[in-house]
Amino acid sequence: MPVARIVGAIGRTLITVGILLLLFVAYQLWGTGLAEARAQSDLRADFEASLEAALTSTTTSTSTTRPARRATTTEPTAPPTTVAAVPEGEAIAIIRIPRIGVDKAVVEGVSVDALKKGPGHYPGTPLPGEPGNAAIAGHRTTYGAPFGDLGELQEGDEILVTTREGEFRYLVDRISIVSPSQVDVLDPSEEAKITLTTCHPKYSARERLIVTGVLAGDPISAPPTTEPDEPAPEEPAEPEEPDAPEEEGTEDDPVLIESPPSLDDPSLAGDPSARGPAAAWGGATALIALAAWFVGARWRRWPSYLLGLPFGAVTLFLCFEQIARLLPSNI
């Protein structure tokens, strides 16, 4: 008899664990998508409002404004938006990939919280449309899976990105799979290109899928600089020439920026601080389940379970949210 009870207890435990795993998988595949959809709606509305405001302001300030929503060599009336000016988690662009049906707002940053909202721009890389290597990471299976079908792209496919500076068209020129430690895909580049990264294979963070595209057209030119023309006639001495390029090069060259994070950067590897909250909410869920079982054993089983279900569902959802933060942020 004791053996039968032990076997029965083990069986019920395994069934419970199996159900919890299935619920977590359902949360990852569909529950996270609901949160991403809400965030995308807000981000798109905010970005489009700021875009319209910027276009209106530019139109009223000058009659020689660069045409919006296309790549051009005409110098903009204001310097291109800098990465430092955009807080993490706010929309910086809209990315569209017609072949795989992607149409998402891109946020600044690749942290766990940032990528919950949509594809994220790697800090330290240029913004799309600027000279250099603009890099964007995105989830492949969770939170709406914006880059879920990235592997289906082919050479020559379009990647369209709209920023506050206009719309820019990239053409896919390379698709590769690399290890998370291979950082050269994020290196600065002299040509204007875009690099999209996501986990590979699906449901795993063992490798990274990399898609690169080159800008079809000219990038946004750097803001015009008048300083080199004015001092020339005033400075007859040659020795001062070497000092000027060193200072101006770091300010005006959009490619010479701080180093971007690597593909296995801690910001992409999950948030260890979520362990405590995950354990706490998991413990709360277990206590609610035990309380429902205890009351059911002394009162009525199913009414007790139904009473505890809403509370247990809430704590379990919160537990799943914290566990999801422990996973790689672009899985």
Side-chain angles (χ1 to χ4, degrees), residues 27-287:
Y27 165 80
Q28 285 285 88
L29 297 180
W30 298 291
T32 56
L34 298 176
E36 186 263 358
R38 290 195 298 269
Q40 279 288 309
S41 178
D42 294 338
L43 287 169
R44 186 178 290 272
D46 293 343
F47 179 78
E48 290 179 352
S50 66
L51 186 63
E52 291 298 327
L55 291 175
T56 302
S57 175
T58 304
T59 302
T60 56
S61 64
T62 177
S63 60
T64 59
T65 303
R66 174 176 56 81
R69 297 179 182 271
R70 74 176 181 186
T72 177
T73 56
T74 306
E75 293 177 349
T77 56
T81 305
T82 59
V83 176
V86 183
E88 180 177 294
E90 291 195 9
I92 63 165
I94 301 294
I95 184 171
R96 293 186 293 115
I97 310 177
R99 175 177 284 274
I100 57 177
V102 171
D103 187 354
K104 298 286 185 179
V106 179
V107 301
E108 176 60 24
V110 292
S111 66
V112 172
D113 290 335
L115 290 185
K116 282 182 176 181
K117 301 178 180 180
H121 170 257
Y122 279 88
T125 68
L127 291 174
E130 295 180 359
N133 183 13
I136 297 175
H139 282 283
R140 196 169 188 193
T141 58
T142 61
Y143 292 98
F147 287 174
D149 296 325
L150 205 62
E152 297 180 9
L153 291 180
Q154 301 175 7
E155 185 174 342
D157 284 343
E158 288 184 323
I159 301 174
L160 307 175
V161 185
T162 301
T163 71
R164 292 177 178 84
E165 298 299 323
E167 183 177 273
F168 304 94
R169 178 171 173 261
Y170 293 87
L171 298 178
V172 173
D173 69 335
R174 185 182 179 188
I175 301 173
S176 58
I177 297 172
V178 303
S179 67
S181 60
Q182 190 169 333
V183 300
D184 60 301
V185 296
L186 300 180
D187 284 349
S189 169
E190 292 185 1
E191 67 176 342
K193 68 177 186 178
I194 193 169
T195 298
L196 308 182
T197 74
T198 192
C199 285
H200 181 82
K202 285 188 175 183
Y203 312 105
S204 171
R206 187 175 67 249
E207 296 173 312
R208 298 292 184 268
L209 174 64
I210 309 297
V211 173
T212 62
V214 293
L215 182 64
D218 296 321
I220 298 174
S221 57
T225 306
T226 57
E227 292 181 359
D229 299 330
E230 297 177 357
E234 300 178 359
E235 297 180 4
E238 295 282 338
E240 296 184 5
E241 293 286 331
D243 296 331
E246 292 181 14
E247 296 177 1
E248 294 172 3
T250 56
E251 291 180 8
D252 299 333
D253 190 348
V255 177
L256 299 178
I257 52 180
E258 60 179 299
S259 299
S262 64
L263 295 176
D264 61 350
D265 186 84
S267 62
L268 287 169
D271 185 1
S273 66
R275 294 172 183 169
W281 288 116
T285 303
L287 288 176

Side-chain angles (χ1 to χ4, degrees), residues 283-301:
T285 303
L287 288 176
I288 291 173
L290 288 173
W293 174 82
F294 182 82
V295 173
R298 285 157 179 75
W299 182 48
R300 295 179 182 176
R301 179 179 299 179

